[in-house]
Amino acid sequence: MQTSQTIRNDWSLEEINAIYNKPLLQLVFEAAAVHRQWHDPEKIQVCTLLSIKTGGCPEDCAYCGQAARYQTGISVKSLMKKEEVLSIAARAKEAGSSRFCMAAAWREVKDNRDFDRVLEMVTEVNAIGMEVCCTLGMLTEEQADKLQKAGLYAYNHNLDSSKNYYDQIINTRTYDDRLNTLENVRKAGISVCCGGIIGLGETHNDRIAMLYTLSNLPEHPESVPVNALARVPGTPLAYLPKTDSWEMVRMIATARILMPKAMVRLSAGRAEMNQQEQAFCFMAGANSIFTSESEELLVTPNPRLHDDFVMMELLGLKPLETKVEATVRDLCEIAPN
Ligand code: SAM
Ligand code: DTB
Ligand code: SF4
């Protein structure tokens, strides 16, 4: 039985392998116990995700609907206006979201007027009292510093897969580039959001190796998104089978045991899960979800906000740390049916 009174950064591959391969219900039971030691199991962090710059990305990430080189039929959009972003953030806050994550289909941040605009967005979303998160690609130390000074709370940059499998998925940058960006984010004093994707054709050992890298970082990420591949027609991975939800449950439970303090986020893949499958993920230690006003995560479908609130009400889950004095029932009314 795993109990975790302490945070460990010295997990061995053998230990992680043993946890990951436990009989599923025993694994969920142990993860649920760890979850209760470190978190309020009735609370879920609702993060609103917004694509502030969509498509046309020069990278070759084989899963991604926004890579310019794949014919995915999405409409490319340049960087949104600050005012538009702010009004979406304000509505998200009113609807009970405590974190606002702005995503851009960039390989890396460039020191130009677009970055200046993002810095202003960060400052102003922060000013309305939300945790501001960005995911903008690779960052230098100086850029991370600027974001921190502007009021950025967290930065999302995923490992995506294991170091070994990585080059089957992305060739336009390296695993070390990713680790370097994560280091720059840490050095700037920004909270780290870092996880990965399952269902890319990787083996169980690749998943274990990714969890090994994550859980042995000098400091665990404060937030760990676990994504199931959202299969986008036109991408090289479009024909892979749907990820079985039990695989998500196993991955989430293992992440919860290894990184007890982190927020573990049930991320891409929810659109293809029913309430029961998502409930099992929450039981296994997931305590955060992405929602969006547009019913799309970035360019793939995501559950409707109203349906998420209905699910939360049904499961007895409340949004974490919302400054709005609202019950989930009120929120169901805010999000139109
Ligand atoms: N362009 C930036 C970058 O790649 O760092 C930020 C946005 S990107 C959409 C952020 C993360 O979303 C990726 O690293 C990947 O883990 C995840 N992601 C992207 N497309 C996905 C898909 N089709 N299915 C599951 N996860 C996906
Ligand atoms: C993360 O780990 N998952 C989110 C967020 N970070 C930016 C994005 C998932 C994207 C899913 C596919 C899409 O809609 O493009
Ligand atoms: Fe570009 Fe990010 Fe998509 Fe990769 S995941 S293609 S870097 S938007």
Side-chain angles (χ1 to χ4, degrees):
M1 171 84 185
Q2 294 286 330
T3 52
S4 56
Q5 303 295 347
T6 53
I7 303 288
R8 285 183 50 194
N9 305 72
D10 61 351
W11 294 99
S12 69
L13 271 177
E14 293 68 33
E15 284 176 301
I16 299 175
N17 190 50
I19 297 170
Y20 181 92
N21 285 304
K22 276 179 192 263
L24 188 71
L25 293 182
Q26 182 61 23
L27 174 61
V28 171
F29 177 73
E30 293 185 20
V34 171
H35 188 188
R36 277 149 187 76
Q37 282 179 279
W38 292 84
H39 301 271
D40 179 347
E42 291 186 4
K43 294 276 170 66
I44 284 280
Q45 185 177 41
V46 180
C47 306
T48 300
L49 183 59
L50 177 67
S51 184
I52 57 171
K53 188 265 164 183
T54 308
C57 182
E59 294 283 86
D60 70 349
C61 311
Y63 49 76
C64 187
Q66 303 196 68
R69 67 192 69 205
Y70 312 131
Q71 304 304 311
T72 62
I74 61 147
S75 48
V76 175
K77 292 186 201 117
S78 59
L79 186 64
M80 283 172 74
K81 298 271 168 291
K82 186 180 71 182
E83 291 67 29
E84 205 183 336
V85 172
L86 289 176
S87 60
I88 294 172
R91 282 200 293 275
K93 189 186 176 213
E94 197 195 319
S97 174
S98 60
R99 182 152 163 151
F100 193 68
C101 181
M102 298 182 274
W106 289 334
R107 170 176 203 270
E108 71 220 311
V109 167
K110 299 209 172 96
D111 295 298
N112 57 18
R113 273 187 291 179
D114 276 358
F115 184 41
D116 293 340
R117 199 193 293 173
V118 172
L119 291 171
E120 285 174 26
M121 291 174 190
V122 168
T123 302
E124 298 195 25
V125 176
N126 183 47
I128 65 168
M130 296 184 90
E131 286 181 17
V132 195
C133 177
C134 279
T135 178
L136 314 168
M138 294 188 286
L139 285 185
T140 64
E141 242 181 285
E142 293 70 36
Q143 290 163 342
D145 228 46
K146 281 191 185 169
L147 282 163
Q148 194 276 337
K149 291 199 169 72
L152 189 75
Y153 183 86
Y155 196 79
N156 167 243
H157 199 64
N158 290 340
L159 290 181
D160 282 356
S161 195
S162 70
K163 192 175 169 75
N164 258 340
Y165 195 63
Y166 186 82
D167 64 5
Q168 301 293 306
I169 302 298
I170 301 157
N171 284 291
T172 47
R173 60 179 160 184
T174 66
Y175 212 64
D176 285 342
D177 287 334
R178 292 214 179 243
L179 291 167
N180 189 38
T181 292
L182 291 171
E183 215 179 295
N184 293 340
V185 171
R186 257 295 165 236
K187 272 194 228 150
I190 298 168
S191 172
V192 172
C193 172
C194 181
I197 313 175
I198 65 167
L200 303 172
E202 76 286 346
T203 63
H204 292 292
N205 282 341
D206 287 312
R207 295 178 191 170
I208 290 165
M210 180 174 80
L211 289 168
Y212 173 83
T213 307
L214 285 171
S215 61
N216 287 325
L217 286 169
E219 263 184 90
H220 292 165
E222 283 76 13
S223 153
V224 178
V226 180
N227 295 277
L229 172 68
R231 296 164 299 163
V232 183
T235 60
L237 304 186
Y239 296 103
L240 284 178
K242 173 184 173 314
T243 306
D244 192 308
S245 297
W246 295 120
E247 305 275 315
M248 285 293 273
V249 170
R250 191 175 283 287
M251 197 68 188
I252 287 168
T254 311
R256 167 54 65 225
I257 291 169
L258 299 176
M259 295 170 279
K261 216 172 148 190
M263 303 299 291
V264 176
R265 187 167 305 143
L266 172 57
S267 303
R270 290 200 306 117
E272 293 190 87
M273 286 180 172
N274 61 25
Q275 287 177 341
Q276 289 83 343
E277 290 169 308
Q278 293 183 65
F280 240 101
C281 291
F282 299 134
M283 199 63 209
N287 57 351
S288 169
I289 54 171
F290 278 120
T291 59
S292 75
E293 208 176 51
S294 64
E295 294 169 33
E296 281 188 335
L297 210 39
L298 294 171
V299 298
T300 65
N302 201 40
R304 299 172 60 221
L305 196 53
H306 181 270
D307 294 342
D308 279 340
F309 288 137
V310 168
M311 173 179 72
M312 288 168 65
E313 168 80 4
L314 187 78
L315 300 178
L317 297 170
K318 300 175 199 71
L320 179 77
E321 283 173 355
T322 169
K323 312 259 179 341
V324 181
E325 291 295 317
T327 64
V328 180
R329 213 181 302 274
D330 294 331
L331 297 172
C332 289
E333 279 159 25
I334 292 172
N337 195 345

